[in-house]
Amino acid sequence: MKWVLHVDLDQFIAAVEIARHPELRGKPVVVGGNGDPAERAVVATASYEAREFGIRSGMPLRIAAKRCPDAVFLPSDPDAYLEVSARVMAVVREFPVVVEVLGWDEAFVGAEADDPEALAAAIKAAIARETGLSCAVGIGDNKLRAKLATGFGKPGGIYRLTRENWWDVMAARPTDALWGIGGKTAKKLAELGVHTVLDLAGADPAELAARFGPKTGPWLRLLGGGISDAEVSATPWVARSRSRETTFQRDLTDPAEMAAEVAALAKRVARDVLDEGRPAARIAVKVRFVPFLTHTHSVTLPEPTSDAAEIDRAAQEVLGMFELTRPVRLLGVRAEFPREESASGSGDP
């Protein structure tokens, strides 16, 4: 029988750092920025010990330090994580399976197996043996169920979620328990009287289409029934965008200085676009105002381009859409590639 497995490395970034610094095992470890909680930066990941203090990814480091003054703060080292991730994926590819990489720390695995739990256990053991890292493995009859199953298996376990036990496990859970539904969408669903997964599966398709659109509405209903793609592809992941951003240690208040920073970011993004070998179709600018209010605007380019001057021009145009009357703590520029050339995926509508 064909199965979809979802392999998800436990506390990946923290685990890599702990492997490099064994003396930190068992201690609350927080990774992010330059590793200095006095600087403006956010948590990239936290060890399970740190999470017990309520520390989560995306949280400002200074808040993490307040919640756990004894935590060990380390700088982020993307090159190291990329190298370890490549080793993990190489281990999984040694099995007679198809591997679809989703990111540094997770992948879908397509396999034919009479005993998927035995295969999952063998993959877990091989990863632990070759890299020292722990992972959870979700087993499903499609990608959605495999992905959700991993959450029930964490940390370090194996869990199966298929059409046979879907309703027993998921029916009473809130809609944002589903992969692809975030808080904003869950709130909109609640306004329609749709609160649980079972509610969503039985929701009126026309009402969903009217609220979320003719494509997204029906797709949400399918999620409620646990229905999704089951095809695992080994085609390399293709970035949908390239972005650069800077968090300033000193708030910016001068619009001219903001424009100069956006120009510098646009220049870096233009180099990334050139290296990618695909032209940008849309340019977005992110502005985070004090204290932590983030807004994003974007424009579609007249035609896709890799020209640095055109990318800068568009970024400056987008910056002009903001009312820069409040101090700014972060600026970002993102170049999005034409949608037809990007990898497909689902996110929070």
Side-chain angles (χ1 to χ4, degrees):
M1 180 175 176
K2 290 185 177 181
W3 298 95
V4 177
L5 276 59
H6 179 251
V7 178
D8 196 343
L9 296 163
D10 295 322
Q11 55 173 12
F12 173 62
I13 294 175
V16 172
E17 293 294 351
I18 291 170
R20 299 163 84 185
H21 307 282
E23 70 276 8
L24 299 180
R25 191 172 303 279
K27 296 182 179 181
V29 175
V30 178
V31 182
N34 293 320
D36 183 356
E39 294 186 358
R40 284 181 172 173
V42 298
V43 175
T45 196
S47 66
Y48 290 125
E49 292 80 6
R51 295 179 194 182
E52 292 179 359
F53 291 86
I55 297 174
R56 296 290 183 268
S57 298
M59 175 183 291
L61 291 182
R62 60 180 177 79
I63 293 180
K66 288 181 179 179
R67 294 196 175 184
C68 184
D70 295 329
V72 178
F73 288 83
L74 298 174
S76 182
D77 187 355
D79 290 341
Y81 313 143
L82 183 61
E83 188 274 331
V84 174
S85 174
R87 286 169 52 202
V88 170
M89 300 307 167
V91 170
V92 180
R93 290 190 181 99
E94 292 178 357
F95 289 83
V97 298
V98 177
V99 179
E100 181 177 330
V101 177
L102 300 180
W104 282 343
D105 60 348
E106 60 176 329
F108 282 123
V109 175
E112 292 193 17
D114 294 329
D115 186 347
E117 278 80 8
L119 174 61
I123 290 174
K124 277 175 47 62
I127 290 174
R129 181 176 63 251
E130 297 298 328
T131 70
L133 299 179
S134 169
C135 69
V137 181
I139 299 170
D141 45 12
N142 60 35
K143 288 181 174 179
L144 171 64
R145 290 173 176 151
K147 171 80 171 180
L148 294 175
T150 313
F152 295 110
K154 276 188 166 290
I158 298 170
Y159 192 89
R160 185 194 293 201
L161 182 62
T162 65
R163 62 184 300 177
E164 280 72 26
N165 64 339
W166 175 258
W167 299 117
D168 290 340
V169 175
M170 297 299 299
R173 296 183 182 275
T175 56
D176 59 4
L178 293 168
W179 180 40
I181 296 183
K184 291 181 179 179
T185 299
K187 184 177 180 180
K188 294 176 183 177
L189 286 169
E191 293 170 354
L192 298 178
V194 177
H195 301 280
T196 68
V197 171
L198 183 61
D199 290 340
L200 182 57
D204 182 351
E207 191 173 17
L208 290 175
R211 183 67 178 86
F212 297 98
K215 291 185 178 180
T216 299
W219 172 72
L220 290 171
R221 192 169 186 269
L222 289 176
L223 289 185
I227 300 169
S228 80
D229 180 23
E231 186 67 27
V232 178
S233 172
T235 302
W237 176 79
V238 178
R240 295 177 64 172
S241 64
R242 291 294 184 187
S243 63
R244 296 283 184 168
E245 62 182 41
T246 300
T247 298
F248 306 104
Q249 301 307 312
R250 171 186 60 83
D251 296 334
L252 302 186
T253 57
D254 181 359
E257 188 175 3
M258 298 175 199
E261 292 291 348
V262 164
L265 290 167
K267 185 176 181 180
R268 294 170 63 192
V269 167
R271 285 198 296 266
D272 294 338
V273 168
L274 200 59
D275 291 341
E276 186 74 23
R278 293 183 292 155
R282 191 172 183 83
I283 300 298
V285 172
K286 177 167 72 172
V287 178
R288 179 166 295 151
F289 297 98
V290 172
F292 213 78
L293 186 65
T294 306
H295 292 292
T296 301
H297 291 307
S298 62
V299 295
T300 298
L301 298 171
E303 60 182 25
T305 182
S306 300
D307 181 70
E310 179 62 14
I311 290 174
D312 178 44
R313 183 206 62 74
Q316 297 297 334
E317 177 187 341
V318 178
L319 182 64
M321 298 177 183
F322 294 88
E323 290 187 13
L324 302 175
T325 57
R326 300 176 60 180
V328 169
R329 60 179 294 155
L330 175 147
L331 287 169
V333 174
R334 181 177 72 246
E336 300 176 2
F337 300 118
R339 185 59 60 96
E340 66 271 15
E341 296 186 19
S342 63
S344 63
S346 60
D348 187 21

